[in-house]
Amino acid sequence: MKKIISHFLSLFVAVSLLAGCKEDEPDFNVTPKSSIVFDDNIDKATADFKLADNVAIRVGIIGSATSVRVTSNYSVGTTAKTKDLGTVAVSNGVAVFSVPSNSLRNSADGAIVGASDVAPTSSRPANTYNLAVDAFNPDGSSERRFFSAVIVR
């Protein structure tokens, strides 16, 4: 009888100890190595720029990125087009990107006209350039955020 009680007691202790162990759950949270913020405003994703001025954007980098590349995406008719606008180095967490407004598209695609700054929204899309902003980290990875630049007269 003592042996049976001893076995049940040992089994009870073993089950209790195993039940107290918690299995670690895998961490599926993926946080970027760098975050991109435009003009010190996390919510900013678009702005109007005068045709005769520069498209100037202060790109704040939270993280380890060392350079920022900007690519312009636009349409000519139904054809999608792109233009590499260049790469800017990150210094103290900031990259200042500035190019003339009329350089957002390839010269072979015609001149930028610029929308009226009081134009109805239906006439603005042809003057909107979606800028893909890529922040490159030292390990070769990158983060991407988009910015819409609307060119007005």
Side-chain angles (χ1 to χ4, degrees):
M1 183 74 172
K2 284 185 179 182
K3 273 189 168 185
I4 293 175
I5 293 175
S6 174
H7 287 298
F8 280 120
L9 187 57
S10 297
L11 182 62
F12 177 75
V13 169
V15 169
S16 297
L17 288 173
L18 287 175
C21 295
K22 181 181 174 192
E23 181 181 342
D24 290 337
E25 295 181 20
D27 183 12
F28 292 112
N29 292 330
V30 178
T31 56
K33 294 184 180 184
S34 296
S35 295
I36 301 170
V37 178
F38 299 117
D39 295 332
D40 295 328
N41 183 345
I42 191 71
D43 295 324
K44 186 172 187 177
T46 189
D48 289 2
F49 298 94
K50 296 281 187 184
L51 179 60
D53 294 338
N54 284 349
V55 172
I57 306 168
R58 183 181 187 276
V59 182
I61 304 295
I62 302 167
S64 61
T66 56
S67 64
V68 172
R69 181 182 65 209
V70 181
T71 307
S72 176
N73 300 293
Y74 60 96
S75 296
V76 175
T78 58
T79 306
K81 301 280 187 158
T82 62
K83 181 178 180 183
D84 186 357
L85 300 175
T87 301
V88 180
V90 175
S91 176
N92 295 325
V94 176
V96 179
F97 171 76
S98 180
V99 295
S101 294
N102 60 5
S103 69
L104 294 180
R105 66 192 281 152
N106 297 306
S107 57
D109 294 328
I112 295 176
V113 178
S116 168
D117 52 4
V118 293
T121 56
S122 62
S123 66
R124 291 172 72 93
N127 297 289
T128 301
Y129 295 84
N130 295 311
L131 305 180
V133 180
D134 296 303
F136 294 99
N137 297 306
D139 66 358
S141 65
S142 65
E143 302 298 330
R144 175 174 272 190
R145 188 163 178 214
F146 292 93
F147 186 87
S148 294
V150 180
I151 307 304
V152 296
R153 282 184 251 151

